[in-house]
Amino acid sequence: GFEFLENFNFPYVSKSIREFWRRWHISLSMWFRDYLYISMGGSRKSNIRTYFNLVTIFVLVGLWHGANWHYVVFGMFHGLFIVIERLGFDKILKRSNLLGHIYTLFVVVNVFVIFRLETIDEAINYFKAMFIGSENQVHYEFTMFLSVEITVIFLIAIIMSFNGFNIIYNRMIIGFEAANSISTLKWISIIKSITLLILFVYSIMAVASGSYNPFIYFRF
């Protein structure tokens, strides 16, 4: 009888940072919107006040993840990019879905570097390795981490990130419905259920077998 709010709605298909936060950690975004952003005046006052409210809210979103400066910077960057979009950049993004998608992934991935590393200096060094190169390249060679298992997981993650699994499934259903192949439809449904079950069990096994799995919000 419990109904749970959908908390992530394929955020990596977003074409702006504003859309990203409508899809990413939905319950957190809604809570900050309803109980802080609106209480601070939201977008009902001047533009300057609205921009101040947005940046403030995202700084607090950063602090919600942990009491550390890199979380503050993480939230601040997201707030600043949302302000930039509200200043008119969103009109440019709307001209091309591809441009919006590339821009969003670029911002999200790079700001996640700040989120992940504990100090700003570490983040700067990581950015240097990403865009310029590192003096010790062996630590940053992408291929050294690839294996058959990792490659398969990576491809599955890409497909799942934009709802590709359901898109393929639904198109197959439409095709076989048009051909009036009832028996094939049943087998497709069974295969889908088995595939999802295997992925679910594998995910549990991967987490359980990990050597270090702390509670992600233990600092609270």
Side-chain angles (χ1 to χ4, degrees):
F2 291 98
E3 292 184 6
F4 295 97
L5 176 71
E6 184 177 27
N7 210 24
F8 292 86
N9 183 23
F10 301 102
Y12 293 115
V13 305
S14 302
K15 294 176 284 296
S16 68
I17 301 301
R18 294 174 69 181
E19 182 184 357
F20 178 81
W21 279 98
R22 287 195 293 266
R23 294 175 174 272
W24 176 275
H25 215 324
I26 299 170
S27 60
L28 177 68
S29 301
M30 291 177 61
W31 192 92
F32 273 94
R33 181 198 66 192
D34 295 342
Y35 292 99
L36 289 178
Y37 181 69
I38 292 177
S39 299
M40 292 172 65
S43 56
R44 299 188 303 274
K45 299 186 178 182
S46 66
N47 288 337
I48 298 298
R49 180 60 184 272
T50 298
Y51 303 149
F52 172 79
N53 292 344
L54 285 168
V55 174
T56 301
I57 288 301
F58 276 94
V59 167
L60 294 174
V61 168
L63 282 173
W64 181 87
H65 289 86
N68 201 315
W69 280 110
H70 67 104
Y71 291 124
V72 173
V73 176
F74 160 81
M76 182 183 67
F77 268 111
H78 275 280
L80 288 174
F81 276 105
I82 288 179
V83 169
I84 291 171
E85 290 175 10
R86 290 178 68 100
L87 286 170
F89 188 56
D90 58 339
K91 296 178 181 178
I92 298 175
L93 296 175
K94 290 177 181 178
R95 296 176 184 175
S96 170
N97 289 337
L98 179 61
L99 173 64
H101 188 61
I102 293 174
Y103 150 79
T104 303
L105 286 180
F106 181 83
V107 171
V108 169
V109 169
N110 281 280
V111 177
F112 267 146
V113 171
I114 300 172
F115 180 89
R116 175 63 180 85
L117 300 178
E118 294 187 359
T119 66
I120 301 302
D121 287 339
E122 286 181 337
I124 292 173
N125 290 332
Y126 205 93
F127 283 127
K128 287 180 180 178
M130 288 171 63
F131 295 105
I132 301 174
S134 171
E135 295 178 358
N136 190 3
Q137 286 289 345
V138 67
H139 294 298
Y140 297 98
E141 288 291 340
F142 178 68
T143 54
M144 69 182 291
F145 299 104
L146 287 181
S147 64
V148 174
E149 181 184 14
I150 294 298
T151 302
V152 171
I153 292 173
F154 188 60
L155 292 174
I156 292 174
I158 292 174
I159 294 172
M160 292 295 193
S161 70
F162 65 89
N163 200 20
F165 186 85
N166 282 329
I167 291 173
I168 295 171
Y169 172 75
N170 291 334
R171 288 185 177 180
M172 292 176 68
I173 291 294
I174 293 172
F176 285 109
E177 280 182 344
N180 198 24
S181 181
I182 305 301
S183 59
T184 306
L185 287 173
K186 291 180 180 179
W187 275 109
I188 291 176
S189 180
I190 293 172
I191 292 172
K192 176 188 178 184
S193 299
I194 293 174
T195 302
L196 292 175
L197 179 61
I198 292 173
L199 288 173
F200 179 65
V201 172
Y202 177 83
S203 299
I204 293 176
M205 292 173 61
V207 171
S209 63
S211 59
Y212 181 63
N213 292 304
F215 179 52
I216 191 170
Y217 296 131
F218 74 99
R219 291 181 180 176
F220 291 170

